[in-house]
C-alpha cells in the first residue's frame, strides 16, 4: 500500500492533505511549496490495542497534525510494546479501570476508542467526562439509544465526538461525491452497495452478540448503508430487509450472517445493499443517474480504492486512509474544519437509527418508515 509519505513525495504538495474538501483541486494542483506545519497538534491516546488500533498507530506516524502520545489497554505487555515502539511515556499509559484519571493529564487532547462495539458507549462517555475529545470506531454504539446518550454526554462535557468514518476523507470517494453534487450523473436514481467477507474464527468477539451487538450488519454492512447515504446524498425515508442464515451454529441468535436491505430516498432514488459474513469479495459500490454512473471496487477496503465513472477511470491520489483521517480530524477539532461528509456523533447516530430499523424490518418482514 502506498504511504502518505510516498504520496507527498510524488505530489510534492503537503498542503493538499489539508484541503480534502476541494477534491478537484486535490487531483490537479500545480505544486505549491508549503512551509512545514506549525499549528496545534492533536495529541491522541488510543484505547484498545488490537488489530485496527495497530493499523491506526502505524498510519499516524505519517500524520502532520495528529500524534499518538498515549495508550489505554488491559494488557500490560502490549502497553510495554507500544511504549517502546511509539516512544510513549509512562505517565500517558492507562488501563480500563483507571483511565478516568486522564482528566488530570494535560498532555492528552483526545481518546480514540478502538475496542469491541459493546464497549464504545461506556468508554466514550467516560472519556467525555474526563474532558477529552473522543474519536470512536464504527459502529459508534449498539443502537440509537446508546448513540444518543453518547452524543448528549459529549455535548454536555463540551468535547467533540467524531466517528472513524475513514472513507469520508478518501479522494476517489470524494471525487464521486463532487461529481454527484455538480450534477454530472444527472438525477441519481439507484445505488448498490455490496459489503462482506467470510468471517473466520467462530470464537472472535465479532460473532458474539454481547460484544458485537449483532453480526455482519454492525461490522461491514454499515459501510453499504453509510455509502448509500453519501453516494445518493439524501437521508432514507424507509427500509425493508431480509435475513438469510445458512450456518446457525457459527452465526448464533442475534448474529446476522447475511442481510439484504433496501432504502428509499425522498427523491424517489432507491438503494439495494448486501451485508455478509459468509460471502467473500463483496466490496463494491455502483451509483447510477440519468446522465452517468460511478462504480467502485474495492469501494471501502483499506485501498487502493479503484473505480470509474462514465467519464473514465478515477485517478485521484491513493492515500493511507487512517493518516488522512487523523490529520483531518485534528483540523476539525482545532481549526473548525468542515468535512465534505460529516464524521460527527450525529452522523454516527443516523447510521444507528437506520440499523435499528433494518433489524426491525428483517425481523418483522415489514417496511419500516424512518422519521427525518
Ligand atoms: P480486535 O479484536 O483486533 O481488537 C480489539 C481490542 O480491544 C483488543 O486489543 C482487545 O484486547 C481489546 N478489548 C478490550 N476489552 C475487550 C473485551 N471485553 N473483549 C475483547 N476485546 C477487548 O478488534 P478490531 O478489529 O481492532 O476492532 C475494534 C473496533 O474497531 C471495532 O469497533 C471495529 O468495528 C472497529 N474497526 C474499524 C475499522 C475501520 O476500517 N474503520 C476496521 C477494523 C475495525
Amino acid at each position: 500500500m502506498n504511504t502518505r509519505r510516498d504520496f507527498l513525495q510524488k505530489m510534492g504538495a503537503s498542503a493538499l492533505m489539508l484541503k480534502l474538501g476541494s477534491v478537484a483541486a486535490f487531483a490537479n494542483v500545480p505544486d505549491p511549496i508549503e512551509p512545514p506545519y506549525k499549528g496545534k497538534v492533536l495529541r491522541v491516546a488510543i484505547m484498545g490495542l488490537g488489530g485496527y488500533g495497530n493499523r491506526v498507530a502505524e498510519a499516524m506516524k505519517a500524520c502532520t497534525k495528529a500524534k499518538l502520545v498515549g495508550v489505554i489497554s488491559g494488557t500490560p505487555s502490549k502497553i510495554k510494546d507500544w511504549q517502546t515502539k511509539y516512544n510513549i511515556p509512562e505517565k500517558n499509559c492507562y488501563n480500563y479501570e483507571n483511565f478516568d484519571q486522564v482528566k488530570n493529564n494535560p498532555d492528552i487532547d483526545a481518546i480514540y476508542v478502538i475496542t469491541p462495539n459493546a464497549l464504545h458507549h461506556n468508554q466514550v462517555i467516560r472519556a467525555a467526562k474526563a474532558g477529552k475529545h473522543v474519536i470512536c470506531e464504527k459502529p459508534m454504539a449498539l443502537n440509537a439509544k446508546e448513540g444518543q446518550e453518547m452524543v448528549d454526554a459529549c455535548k454536555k462535557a463540551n468535547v467533540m465526538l467524531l466517528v472513524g468514518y475513514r472513507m469520508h476523507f478518501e479522494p476517489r470517494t470524494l471525487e464521486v461525491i463532487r461529481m454527484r453534487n455538480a450534477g454530472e450523473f444527472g438525477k441519481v436514481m439507484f445505488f448498490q452497495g455490496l459489503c462482506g467477507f467470510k468471517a473466520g474464527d467462530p470464537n472472535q468477539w465479532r460473532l458474539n452478540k454481547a460484544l458485537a451487538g449483532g453480526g455482519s450488519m454492525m461490522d461491514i454492512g454499515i459501510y453499504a448503508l453509510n455509502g448509500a447515504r453519501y453516494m445518493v446524498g439524501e437521508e432514507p425515508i424507509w427500509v425493508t430487509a431480509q435475513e438469510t442464515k445458512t450456518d446457525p451454529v457459527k452465526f448464533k441468535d442475534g448474529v446476522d450472517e447475511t442481510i439484504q436491505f433496501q432504502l428509499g430516498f425522498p427523491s424517489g432514488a432507491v438503494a439495494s445493499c448486501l451485508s455478509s459474513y459468509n460471502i467473500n469479495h463483496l466490496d463494491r459500490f455502483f451509483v447510477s443517474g440519468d446522465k452517468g454512473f460511478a462504480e467502485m471496487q474495492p469501494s471501502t477496503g483499506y485501498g487502493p480504492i479503484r473505480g470509474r465513472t462514465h467519464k473514465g477511470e478515477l485517478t485521484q491520489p491513493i492515500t493511507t486512509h487512517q493518516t488522512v483521517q487523523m490529520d483531518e480530524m485534528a483540523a476539525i477539532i482545532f481549526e473548525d474544519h468542515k468535512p465534505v461528509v460529516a464524521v460527527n456523533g450525529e452522523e454516527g447516530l443516523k447510521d444507528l437509527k437506520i440499523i435499528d430499523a433494518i433489524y426491525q424490518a428483517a425481523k418483522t418482514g415489514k417496511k419500516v418508515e424512518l422519521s427525518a
Side-chain angles (χ1 to χ4, degrees), residues 48-53 78 96 114-117 119-120 137-139 164 166 205-206 211 219 223 302:
L49 314 182
Y52 197 61
K78 280 193 205 168
Y96 295 113
I114 318 186
T115 53
N117 309 341
L119 309 180
H120 296 177
E137 257 319 312
K138 46 55 59 180
R166 62 188 160 76
W205 67 260
R206 282 183 167 77
L211 282 171
D219 189 46
Y223 284 98
Y302 296 135

Side-chain angles (χ1 to χ4, degrees), residues 190-195 217 220-229 232 240-242 258-263 265 270-276 282 284-286 358:
F190 180 69
F191 170 82
Q192 184 190 44
L194 310 177
C195 294
M217 189 62 223
I220 189 76
I222 191 171
Y223 284 98
L225 165 60
N226 192 253
R229 293 177 45 242
V232 175
T240 48
Q242 307 79 37
T258 297
I259 287 190
Q260 295 183 71
F261 60 95
Q262 302 78 37
L263 308 168
F265 296 90
V270 290
S272 172
C273 300
L274 179 61
S275 163
S276 184
L282 283 187
R284 182 180 154 79
F285 281 5
F286 175 65
I358 288 170

Side-chain angles (χ1 to χ4, degrees), residues 42 109-114 119-129 131-141 143-165 169 325 329 332-333 337 339 341-350 352:
L42 184 73
D109 302 306
I111 294 179
Y112 193 164
V113 175
I114 318 186
L119 309 180
H120 296 177
H121 174 256
N122 175 271
Q123 290 169 341
V124 165
I125 291 174
R126 282 171 65 189
K129 283 187 176 158
K132 302 301 174 183
H133 299 296
V134 203
I135 303 167
C136 178
E137 257 319 312
K138 46 55 59 180
M140 189 173 93
N143 51 52
K145 179 178 176 293
E146 281 192 2
Q148 185 68 62
E149 287 166 4
M150 292 154 77
V151 167
D152 293 345
C154 289
K155 209 167 270 171
K156 190 170 168 203
N158 203 22
V159 297
M160 275 200 200
L161 171 57
L162 304 177
V163 184
Y165 287 125
F169 306 106
Q325 174 200 316
M329 286 186 165
I332 290 168
I333 290 171
H337 186 112
V341 188
V343 288
N344 53 19
E346 284 79 5
E347 171 74 9
L349 182 55
K350 283 179 187 168
L352 291 172

Side-chain angles (χ1 to χ4, degrees), residues 313-357:
E313 292 291 313
L314 291 167
T315 55
Q316 286 65 36
I318 291 162
T319 58
T320 300
H321 300 174
Q322 297 79 8
T323 308
V324 182
Q325 174 200 316
M326 293 309 290
D327 270 344
E328 278 294 304
M329 286 186 165
I332 290 168
I333 290 171
F334 288 144
E335 298 165 35
D336 201 25
H337 186 112
K338 301 274 183 271
V340 175
V341 188
V343 288
N344 53 19
E346 284 79 5
E347 171 74 9
L349 182 55
K350 283 179 187 168
D351 278 343
L352 291 172
K353 284 181 179 166
I354 303 167
I355 290 176
D356 285 354

Side-chain angles (χ1 to χ4, degrees), residues 237-249:
I237 51 175
W238 57 257
V239 309
T240 48
Q242 307 79 37
E243 183 177 354
T244 311
K245 196 169 286 204
T246 64
D247 187 347
V249 176

